[in-house]
Amino acid sequence: MPEPTVAVLAADYFESYSVVGLLAVIGVLFVAVAFGAGRLLRPVVPTPEKLLTYECGVDPVGEGWAHTQVRYYVYAFLYVIFAVDSIFLFPWATVFAAAGYGATTLVEMFIFLGFLAVGLLYAWKKGVLEWT
């Protein structure tokens, strides 16, 4: 059986990428056509009322800048950190069950959890986790 040439191997290699590229082009075209159709089909009737800033159905009062509590962002950030942690725990549990990976994956996961614990301890020491 003859050995495949470099050109044949390269063609097979790039064929898989051409499918991904074609799918990306189709996706971009689909979005462009949808936005273009929306722009062409929507009614454009600007009135002074429609040009006002929308604030949950209430007429805007005061200036545009509002004071926002930072603690809400901190809680959201902590949630994202622990959501990412849980995303890493599921594949870890799968690999941990495989033969030959037990001790290595256990040490790696404890290092990862240690970094998270140090970050949580730092946030707790700084008083970030207090709601008041």
Side-chain angles (χ1 to χ4, degrees), residues 11-34:
D12 290 342
Y13 179 76
F14 288 116
E15 183 179 345
S16 60
Y17 283 111
S18 65
V19 172
V20 173
L22 181 65
L23 187 61
V25 168
I26 289 172
V28 169
L29 284 175
F30 180 76
V31 171
V33 167

Side-chain angles (χ1 to χ4, degrees), residues 10-98:
D12 290 342
Y13 179 76
F14 288 116
E15 183 179 345
S16 60
Y17 283 111
S18 65
V19 172
V20 173
L22 181 65
L23 187 61
V25 168
I26 289 172
V28 169
L29 284 175
F30 180 76
V31 171
V33 167
F35 276 113
R39 185 178 204 103
L40 291 173
L41 296 175
R42 72 175 176 226
V44 180
V45 185
T47 62
E49 226 175 78
K50 286 183 181 179
L51 297 176
L52 278 178
T53 305
Y54 181 75
E55 258 183 55
C56 302
V58 179
D59 291 334
V61 177
E63 58 187 66
W65 293 97
H67 181 70
T68 306
Q69 296 291 331
V70 176
R71 67 176 173 240
Y72 300 121
Y73 295 111
V74 172
Y75 281 105
F77 185 65
L78 287 172
Y79 169 76
V80 168
I81 287 173
F82 287 105
V84 168
D85 178 36
S86 66
I87 289 171
F88 281 116
L89 283 174
F90 288 114
W92 170 77
T94 304
V95 171
F96 185 68

Side-chain angles (χ1 to χ4, degrees), residues 118-129:
V118 167
L120 185 62
L121 182 66
Y122 177 77
W124 179 61
K125 289 272 189 188
K126 286 288 193 176
V128 172
L129 301 177

